[in-house]
Amino acid sequence: MATRAISDPQLASTLSHERDHWKGRFFAMASPCEVLLNEVAHRDAAELVEIAAAEAARIERKFSRYRADSVVQLINTARGQRVEVDEETAKLLDYAAECYAISDGLFDVTSGVLRRVWKFDGSDRLPPSAAVEALLPLIGWDKVTWDRPWITLPAGMEIDFGGIGKEYAVDTTATLLRSRTAAGFVVNYGGDLYVSGPRRSGKDWVIGVDDPLATGEHSVGSLTIARGGIATSGDARRFLLKDGVRYSHILNPKTGWPVTAAPHSVTVIADTCIEAGILATLAMLQGPDAETFLTEQEVKFWANR
């Protein structure tokens, strides 16, 4: 294994050669990240992985709700004052607004305030109904004034790109890598992926579908893909379990409570990772009708119940 030492410890990555491809690994956005590269020179592979790690770190710095210097934090702490945003942030806000509209309010970037009472740590601790109810007035994209490039949140409200940020980072990374190499590659950030083209052998890439009840230990199947985005939404890692009922971390912003009767997980293939991600999330929000929703979208998917 060849290991590169990068000056910024947050970008530290490793690079190894495995059979017919290179595998770069690093950690970002609270997730293990990988970049798989068809046969290229060692030096080129190392450079491409470094580019990917830097891009993931850039997206995390810019859009993480946990960073005091992020644009999201700037918006969330404006206390009712309008904030001017840059073009990239404006495009994400446009996308969030579009998702809110097409989902009839089920996908809402203002629903992140619910994390104040919901802690999906695998325990049986459900929040009091009154605590959930008290947060509902702080949720609703329709309460936000979005007049490009100016955004105004009512005091106390927040936005959170957690539902689309990692998928967006996958796509921006893929765009950067495509501009630097003609070789096929896979960008995998915590299970959300983009595949740029077939392997050197001409065969498709084979992507394992994680078992939501034994995540990281077993696969329940596999998908083959030559090009496109793959994203998964589900309750594999974040859930509550009380009286035999498993509560998913996917919350209905209209009620503040977890969606019921949804699959344990849904994996979707689409043209881009962010498109696959939003379709997977919207499917989970349909609860018992998840599979019907995805069939109507005419996309390839895998649902685990």
Side-chain angles (χ1 to χ4, degrees):
M1 171 183 290
T3 303
R4 289 177 60 82
I6 299 175
S7 57
D8 185 342
Q10 290 190 327
L11 304 184
S13 61
T14 63
L15 180 64
S16 60
H17 191 265
E18 302 191 5
R19 292 186 298 180
D20 62 347
H21 64 273
W22 292 97
K23 177 183 286 186
R25 289 177 167 170
F26 53 90
F27 195 84
M29 299 174 287
S31 299
C33 300
E34 290 182 347
V35 176
L36 310 182
L37 293 151
N38 269 333
E39 291 289 1
V40 294
H42 177 213
R43 179 177 177 179
D44 292 338
E47 181 181 359
L48 292 167
V49 171
E50 190 170 341
I51 289 170
E55 177 63 2
R58 183 188 73 83
I59 296 296
E60 183 173 12
R61 280 195 304 272
K62 186 169 184 177
F63 296 116
S64 171
R65 66 175 182 264
Y66 298 110
R67 292 184 62 103
D69 57 347
S70 74
V71 66
V72 169
Q73 187 72 347
L74 178 65
I75 294 169
N76 289 346
T77 57
R79 299 181 179 180
Q81 300 299 309
R82 71 175 188 166
V83 175
E84 184 178 14
V85 300
D86 65 287
E87 178 63 18
E88 183 180 39
T89 305
K91 287 181 178 177
L92 272 182
L93 289 170
D94 286 343
Y95 189 72
E98 181 182 354
C99 292
Y100 177 83
I102 64 175
S103 69
D104 191 26
L106 283 179
F107 183 88
D108 193 330
V109 292
T110 69
S111 64
V113 294
L114 289 167
R115 69 178 178 277
R116 297 175 187 172
V117 296
W118 286 100
K119 308 297 181 188
F120 293 97
D121 55 5
S123 72
D124 62 352
R125 293 188 292 273
L126 300 183
S129 296
V132 176
E133 187 78 18
L135 290 173
L136 294 183
L138 299 177
I139 299 171
W141 177 258
D142 56 337
K143 301 169 186 171
V144 175
T145 301
W146 171 227
D147 183 16
R148 216 174 196 274
W150 300 93
I151 183 170
T152 308
L153 295 183
M157 288 186 64
E158 299 177 2
I159 63 167
D160 180 357
F161 286 133
I164 53 178
K166 186 148 57 69
E167 295 87 343
Y168 174 70
V170 169
D171 287 337
T172 61
T173 300
T175 298
L176 283 173
L177 297 187
R178 256 199 318 264
S179 70
R180 304 294 291 266
T181 180
F185 60 79
V186 177
V187 176
N188 175 5
Y189 291 172
D192 296 323
L193 304 96
Y194 182 82
V195 179
S196 74
R199 303 171 77 108
R200 189 179 186 185
S201 63
K203 295 182 178 179
D204 293 349
W205 296 85
V206 180
I207 309 297
V209 178
D210 193 37
D211 183 348
L213 300 181
T215 183
E217 300 177 9
H218 304 290
S219 294
V220 292
S222 62
L223 298 170
T224 58
I225 180 173
R227 182 176 289 103
I230 300 179
T232 298
S233 183
D235 62 10
R237 294 180 174 84
R238 298 170 60 200
F239 63 90
L240 294 174
L241 188 62
K242 184 176 179 59
D243 299 329
V245 178
R246 189 178 175 103
Y247 293 85
S248 164
H249 75 97
I250 298 173
L251 300 168
N252 183 330
K254 298 180 180 180
T255 66
W257 283 81
V259 174
T260 59
H264 281 306
S265 69
V266 168
T267 299
V268 176
I269 296 178
D271 290 342
T272 64
C273 189
I274 197 170
E275 184 181 352
I278 197 64
L279 286 170
T281 299
L282 291 181
M284 293 295 290
L285 286 165
Q286 306 303 313
D289 299 322
E291 292 91 338
T292 300
F293 169 81
L294 289 171
T295 299
E296 291 173 349
Q297 307 311 308
E298 299 182 346
V299 293
K300 292 178 66 176
F301 68 92
W302 186 300
N304 291 296
R305 286 196 175 271

